[in-house]
Amino acid sequence: MSGPSKTDKAAINDLLSKIQAGGGAPEKGFRDMTKEEKQAYGERMKKAQVGPKLAGLQIKALSQMVSGLKQKRFQCQQSMDQATENIHHLDAEIARIKVRYDPLCRQIKEREAKRAQLQKRLDNCHEQLAGMLQDTKGRIKYVKKNLTTFAGKNASQHLARERGYTNHSHRIPKKK
């Protein structure tokens, strides 16, 4: 249903001006009007009443929309206030934790540096031990060889003393 046309608006305005001036009745008496004129007059009156009702409904809808917007704004503000409060609480908690956390971080760095130093010393000790073991192994091999040779010579000398002679016939004398 569309709004009133320009001619209807003009008729409504004309009727409203007559009503405000005190002459609300049509020029002819209502009883003198024909059926079509009465219907047209009734239509004009309905249209004249639709405008204020429509405006009232629009005002009511706008009022509801504004109150809804105000309510949403209020809820958003409450939500923002609560979020801000939570942020302040978290900041305070972070500050309390940081008081304990920062010294722990420094201590960890110091311990890591000390660990690296000790690891270097341990690696050096391992290298020295490996060198000593290698050297000891070589000396043991040398001593074993010399001991075997000495024991053989000692046994030969002992046998030669018991027999009373030496059996070096199979050996070729060394040249000097």
Side-chain angles (χ1 to χ4, degrees):
M1 180 167 120
S2 64
S5 65
K6 287 184 180 181
T7 56
D8 290 338
K9 284 182 182 179
I12 291 170
N13 287 337
D14 183 43
L15 182 61
L16 287 175
S17 63
K18 285 181 184 179
I19 291 172
Q20 287 174 353
E27 295 164 3
K28 295 188 205 176
F30 191 71
R31 292 181 189 186
D32 297 337
M33 288 184 170
T34 63
K35 188 176 181 183
E36 288 95 24
E37 288 176 336
K38 287 181 183 179
Q39 283 180 339
Y41 179 72
E43 288 291 323
R44 284 194 310 243
M45 289 303 287
K46 278 184 186 178
K47 288 180 182 179
Q49 291 174 356
V50 167
K53 284 183 182 177
L54 183 61
L57 290 175
Q58 288 174 339
I59 290 171
K60 186 176 178 182
L62 282 173
S63 175
Q64 288 175 351
M65 184 179 78
V66 167
S67 68
L69 289 174
K70 285 181 179 179
Q71 182 65 26
K72 285 182 183 178
R73 182 172 184 252
F74 179 73
Q75 289 171 350
C76 287
Q77 186 63 43
Q78 282 183 330
S79 174
M80 286 174 46
D81 291 343
Q82 186 178 8
T84 304
E85 184 179 318
N86 287 343
I87 288 171
H88 291 304
H89 175 72
L90 290 174
D91 287 342
E93 191 171 334
I94 287 170
R96 283 192 307 269
I97 290 171
K98 222 169 178 128
V99 167
R100 291 177 289 168
Y101 178 75
D102 289 342
L104 288 175
C105 288
R106 279 193 306 274
Q107 193 176 34
I108 287 172
K109 287 180 183 177
E110 290 170 2
R111 286 183 179 177
E112 285 175 346
K114 189 173 182 178
R115 181 185 176 274
Q117 183 184 17
L118 291 173
Q119 184 65 43
K120 194 182 285 185
R121 285 177 61 189
L122 182 64
D123 291 342
N124 190 14
C125 288
H126 279 276
E127 289 175 14
Q128 287 177 355
L129 182 62
M132 287 180 0
L133 287 175
Q134 190 69 25
D135 188 37
T136 304
K137 185 178 176 182
R139 286 180 191 223
I140 289 173
K141 196 175 188 181
Y142 177 75
V143 168
K144 232 181 181 181
K145 181 181 173 193
N146 286 342
L147 190 59
T148 305
T149 305
F150 176 74
K153 284 182 184 180
N154 196 14
S156 293
Q157 286 175 1
H158 181 61
L159 284 174
R161 270 188 252 132
E162 282 186 14
R163 287 186 222 146
Y165 67 92
T166 60
N167 186 7
H168 292 294
S169 60
H170 66 280
R171 290 191 189 166
I172 302 173
K174 291 183 184 177
K175 294 181 182 179
K176 293 185 180 182

